[in-house]
Amino acid sequence: MSTVETSRSGSVAVVRFGEPPVNSLGLATRQALAAAISAAIADPGVSAIVLAGRNGTFSAGADIKEFATGGMITAPNLHDVIALVAGSPKPIVAAIEGTCLGGGLELALGAHYRVAVATAKVGLPEVKLGLLPGAGGTQRLPRLIGVENALNVILSGEPVPAKLFAGSALFDALVNEDPAGAATTLAAAKAGELAGKAPPRARDRSAAGPLVEPLLGFARTTAGAAYAAYPAPLKIIDALEAAATQSFEDGLATERQLFAELMVTPVSRALRHAFFAERAASKIPDVPESTPVRPIASAAIIGAGTMGTGIAINFLNAGIPVFLLEVGKEALDKGVARIADTYAGQVKKGRLKPADAEARGKLLTPTLSYDDIGGADIVIEAVFEDMAIKEKVFTTLDAVMKPGAILASNTSTLDLDRIAAVTKRPGDVVGTHFFSPANIMKLLEVVRGKATAPDVLATTMKLARTLKKTAVVSGVCDGFIGNRMLEQYLRQALFLVDEGADPAAIDAACEKFGFAMGPFRVSDLAGNDIGWHIRKRRALEHPDVVYSKIADKLCELGRFGQKTGGGWYDYKPGDRNAYPSKVVADLIAAHRQAIGVTPRKVSSREIVDRLVFALVNEGAHILAEGIAQRASDIDIVYLTGYGFPVFRGGPMCYADEIGLYAVALRMRELARNPYGDPGFWTPAPLIERLAASGGSFNSAGARP
Ligand code: 3H9
């Protein structure tokens, strides 16, 4: 609930505003703030005003939720409130602590003086939402810190400590604590000094300078190339140019116009969707945030391979002691060396202090014996992806782990309920599917088995935050959310090769769409043998699912990817570039001949539609089955784990943006192609239903 309170300290009115949790400036707050400031201005007993936030923070800016509803323009809008502050005949001092971002900083820039706690985080992060600061930030900030500094602040969007601006006109004083107290003292002093004269305003300063045009010209060239898919950076530069070349009022109008243009772009919609999607992912409707969690003060990892060591590093980084268990000494030593190498590399690059690397290394206890690990609070199994092996490991864990320990599996595809069933404590079993490299990738799929206890789930979600991961809950199914969808994407990629598209053309089309890497480059990086192994299992379990045979033929040549010096592409030692392969070209040509396909030209549009809509259709099944809690969780899985372009908001958001009616229509068009799996392009019932009602995945009611 929004609250604004005014108190008095002598003749200074201290106006404190707050709307938990981040003091965003929604309509209720703006109304109350405008009323409180107007009252203080009108009060003859008030000589100056202090503007402060509540709950230890100034403001995170405009209420982003209002952007979708249009509530942000309802009067008094942020411009009205800032104009009221800036136009006050009595000096107004902003007292800044905690975070002061976006519209929050713009409000502070409207004040005549600013006092900040040196460690307060200030910034204009609108660019991360595909926007620019639209409440005067592009006009006032360069007038206070210069165009070049303003460009850095606004283009990066990164919050930085207030002390970085020491000595600039942005802050009149930096303090260690009690900014409201310091602001009150300053306000009283300024009221005396000014003696009724108009207080200074940022708008009266100039941002013009001889170097501004060349600087902005350079910025345009680099931003245009570096952020080609993002419209905001170039418009930010335009707005800053207006600050330097136009009157304040005209510059403000330019900024408003550019802001309005950005607000309606699909990129901004996608980025705003991603912002809320990331925060929604941590919420589990039937596991309230008040659910008690189990303490996690130590961990054990079973398996010292690439995955196990990557997972171990996450815990070590978080200061949690780890037992690393392997069955053979050689494999264990290799795993320990891999962890040491990772830290040594970070020290060499200056990313980690040697003392910190040493401290983290000391938290690691390698072991060959299950007897050592029984006291750990959580154990994560990261052994070979084979049900029989996993069942054996879990039977042992059930015997050795202390009561209350969480038993987690890093399985990426297997049935967690079967794994849990071999233990006498299935409620303690959960899936923690890390993505490779596990110490770098942000995504963690938390797999909820049918017996997983609520407190185990709550603890795992909390642990994910401690490990700095973005956790998404998935129900149990083959491949969970991410890999189950990926299977359909890869099946299409291979059908496309059969039909005439070369791996390089497919990768190029995907990368142009915005994927970090196309499917063949990714497979070469991850190891083509992984998919081969999964296809062999799937062929036994689901013999009806049709696959192209081309990937198997590649694996039969031992071309597992980068690690074997060749996969879909050729690789040179010490060089990460992928080179076209004559062997692969011949293999594909012979394969097409063997299956009797005359290659045809496949357009980039067809490539992208087939790959992305394969994800979307499977995503719709996953949503309807309740495997994913919400469509936006699927988007987060693809944004954080699979390199889906952030500016498209994830596959489900992308489909919503196109419109599900158009998506279903295109699927029916694709179904006319007789090659591959004839049933592939039957739109999921959820898509049909939403398409018929004009609904979308991300709107309420997408679940049956
Ligand atoms: C702007 O100001 C436009 C103006 O230039 C022009 C206007 C005309 N609005 O992140 P957390 C919610 S654009 C609404 O988990 P943390 C968030 O969804 C704005 N809600 O906490 C979450 O809700 P829930 C420019 C917001 O401590 C809860 O608060 N400002 C907003 O890790 C806690 O958030 C930004 O882009 C908001 N502005 O981090 C700042 N901010 O509990 C965006 C947060 O229901 N915000 N929420 O899931 C942030 O960067 C971080 O949230 C912050 C706190 C650093 C503040």
Side-chain angles (χ1 to χ4, degrees), residues 480-501:
F480 312 122
I481 297 173
N483 283 346
R484 174 168 157 186
M485 288 165 67
L486 188 75
E487 183 187 8
Q488 305 310 328
Y489 168 92
L490 292 176
R491 282 178 71 208
Q492 280 302 317
L494 297 176
F495 288 149
L496 282 162
V497 174
D498 287 0
E499 290 176 68

Side-chain angles (χ1 to χ4, degrees), residues 20-26 57 59-67 72-73 77-79 82 99-106 121 123-129 131-137 157 159 255 259 263 275-276 278-283 289:
V22 293
N23 291 357
S24 59
L25 295 159
T57 191
S59 169
D63 181 349
I64 306 167
K65 290 191 288 297
E66 285 188 344
F67 292 2
M72 57 175 294
I73 49 175
N77 59 40
L78 200 47
H79 293 270
I82 295 172
T99 47
C100 179
L101 302 175
L105 179 57
E106 291 173 297
K121 289 285 177 67
L124 293 170
E126 286 84 346
V127 69
K128 295 186 180 183
L129 302 171
L131 297 170
L132 51 73
E255 178 196 84
F259 181 84
M263 185 63 97
F275 176 86
F276 287 116
E278 187 164 353
R279 283 153 182 86
S282 63
K283 298 182 172 61
E289 282 175 22

Side-chain angles (χ1 to χ4, degrees), residues 132-133 136-143 147 150-151 154 203 205-209 212-213 216-217 220 233-259:
L132 51 73
T138 65
Q139 304 305 299
R140 289 192 176 92
L141 190 65
R143 285 175 161 82
V147 172
L151 187 68
I154 302 175
R203 61 174 290 161
R205 301 167 64 99
S206 169
V212 167
E213 277 306 323
L216 294 180
R220 255 187 203 102
L234 286 178
K235 291 203 190 291
I236 286 170
I237 296 168
D238 290 348
L240 285 170
E241 183 173 44
T245 57
Q246 298 176 2
S247 69
F248 180 77
E249 290 303 339
D250 288 351
L252 220 47
T254 301
E255 178 196 84
R256 254 180 127 136
Q257 173 64 27
L258 296 171
F259 181 84

Side-chain angles (χ1 to χ4, degrees), residues 670-695:
L670 293 170
R672 286 195 212 118
N673 173 1
Y675 190 78
D677 176 350
F680 195 101
W681 290 115
T682 307
L686 178 62
I687 295 185
E688 293 285 27
R689 180 168 71 75
L690 292 171
S693 63

